[in-house]
Amino acid sequence: MTNRTLKRILQNKASLAGLVLVLFFAAVALFAPLLAPAQNPRDPYQLPQSSYEVTPQPPSAQHIFGTTEQQYDLYYGVVWGTRLAFKIGITVTFFAFLIGLFLGAGAAYFGGKIDELVMRFTDIVFAVPSLVLAMVIAAMLGPDIRHMMMALTAVAWPSYARLVRGDVLSVKRRDFVTASKALGARGPRLLLRHILPNSIYPSVVVASLDIGYIVLTAASLSFLGLGAQPGTADWGQLIAMARNWVLGSGGNTFAYWYTVVVPGGAIFLFVLGWNLLGDGFRDILDPRQG
C-alpha cells in the first residue's frame, strides 16, 4: 500500500473505520494463541467443551461471552473463528482471483474460439445462483472446511474472469499497447508486462469487497451443515448451535441473546470492515476520482 493510498484512506472516515475494523480482526487472528490458548494442540480450531449440558450458560468469569448448547465456549469460538475467517476469505478470494485472471485475460487476449468457450462456460456458472451452486458442490464433496472452500472458489471465479476480460479488451486497443507491438513486444510478454498491469485494478477492488462476502457465504454453508464440522470454531457453526435458542425461554425472549449476538456481531463487523475498506479502494483506484 503506497503512502498516497494510505493517506487517502485515512482522510475518508468510512474507509478509516473499515481499516480499523480489519486491523482489529487481523490482530485477534494473529494473537489467537495468546488470547485463547489452544485446548487441543493438534487441532486448535476444536472448541473446548466444559460439559454436555444442553442449555447455554450466560456470560461469566469463566466464560466471558457465555456458552452455546453442550457448553462450547463462545469466546474461544469467536477468537479462533476470526483466524478461520481470514483463512477462508483470503484463500478463496486469492484462488478465485487467479483462476478468473488466467481465464479472463487469456480469453480477451487470444479471442476467437478460446474467448467464446471461456465466456460460454462462465455464463453457465452464472446461470445458477452462487449460493445454490456452492451448496450443491459442498454437498457432493461432503461437509468439510476444505471442501467448502473449493465450492466457494468454484462459484467465485466467473466474476473476475468477466471483469478482467472486459478490461483487457479495453486496454489492448490503447495506443501504448500498439506502440509496444511496434517495438517488438509479443505474446506473454505483451500481456504480462503491458496489458495486465493496467487491467487488474478493478478486480483488486472487487477482491477486497469479496473477502467479506466469501466469509458470509461460508458462514451460511456452515449453518446449513455443509461447512465446518460440529464443534469447530467457526462463526456459522456457532450460530447453528444457537438456532434452538433464538426465541429464548418461556416469558423471556432474550434469555439466550448472547448465543446469537456474539457470533452474529463478529460476522457483521468483519464483513462491514471489508466492505468499507473495499469502497475506499474503489474510490482511490478509480481514475475518475480526483
Side-chain angles (χ1 to χ4, degrees):
M1 184 182 295
T2 64
N3 292 333
R4 177 177 176 273
T5 301
L6 181 60
K7 182 179 179 180
R8 294 190 64 176
I9 288 178
L10 295 178
Q11 290 174 343
N12 186 305
K13 292 183 179 180
S15 301
L16 179 59
L19 179 62
V20 169
L21 284 172
V22 170
L23 290 178
F24 169 75
F25 280 107
V28 172
L30 181 63
F31 296 107
L34 298 177
L35 296 173
Q39 303 297 308
N40 184 354
R42 292 185 176 181
D43 183 10
Y45 296 106
Q46 181 64 42
L47 289 168
Q49 189 175 17
S50 56
S51 71
Y52 293 96
E53 184 180 349
V54 175
T55 306
Q57 298 301 309
S60 63
Q62 185 178 3
H63 304 286
I64 60 175
F65 287 168
T67 64
T68 67
E69 61 183 16
Q70 298 185 9
Q71 307 312 301
Y72 290 112
D73 186 61
L74 277 171
Y75 171 75
Y76 189 96
V78 168
V79 170
W80 282 94
T82 302
R83 176 172 284 199
L84 188 59
F86 272 101
K87 178 181 178 181
I88 294 172
I90 293 176
T91 302
V92 170
T93 303
F94 175 75
F95 283 106
F97 179 83
L98 281 185
I99 295 171
L101 183 66
F102 174 77
L103 294 177
Y109 185 75
F110 295 106
K113 292 184 178 180
I114 295 178
D115 185 23
E116 187 70 17
L117 179 63
V118 172
M119 286 301 100
R120 296 297 74 77
F121 182 61
T122 302
D123 291 339
I124 292 173
V125 178
F126 269 126
V128 183
S130 58
L131 180 58
V132 175
L133 183 57
M135 290 170 56
V136 171
I137 296 174
M140 292 173 60
L141 296 176
D144 184 79
I145 291 178
R146 288 177 296 179
H147 294 163
M148 177 180 67
M149 292 168 66
M150 293 170 61
L152 292 173
T153 303
V155 301
W157 68 264
S159 59
Y160 295 106
R162 181 172 287 182
L163 185 59
V164 169
R165 175 182 178 271
D167 289 327
V168 169
L169 285 174
S170 174
V171 170
K172 79 175 189 176
R173 296 188 180 96
R174 296 183 183 175
D175 292 340
F176 74 89
V177 175
T178 304
S180 299
K181 289 180 180 179
L183 293 173
R186 291 289 187 275
R189 180 173 179 269
L190 178 64
L191 178 63
L192 297 176
R193 294 194 59 181
H194 300 285
I195 298 178
L196 274 184
N198 294 283
S199 306
I200 64 173
Y201 291 113
S203 301
V204 172
V205 175
V206 172
S208 65
L209 290 167
D210 267 0
I211 292 177
Y213 172 75
I214 290 296
V215 171
L216 186 61
T217 307
S220 301
L221 293 177
S222 290
F223 179 83
L224 296 172
L226 298 173
Q229 296 286 347
T232 302
D234 174 81
W235 293 339
Q237 187 64 231
L238 293 177
I239 294 180
M241 295 178 184
R243 73 179 77 191
N244 296 324
W245 311 96
V246 173
L247 299 180
S249 58
N252 188 358
T253 305
F254 301 103
Y256 306 107
W257 61 269
Y258 48 90
T259 61
V260 178
V261 171
V262 171
I267 295 174
F268 171 77
L269 293 175
F270 186 89
V271 175
L272 177 65
W274 281 107
N275 285 351
L276 292 176
L277 190 59
D279 285 340
F281 280 129
R282 179 196 60 195
D283 295 339
I284 292 167
L285 297 176
D286 189 343
R288 293 172 296 182
Q289 300 292 327

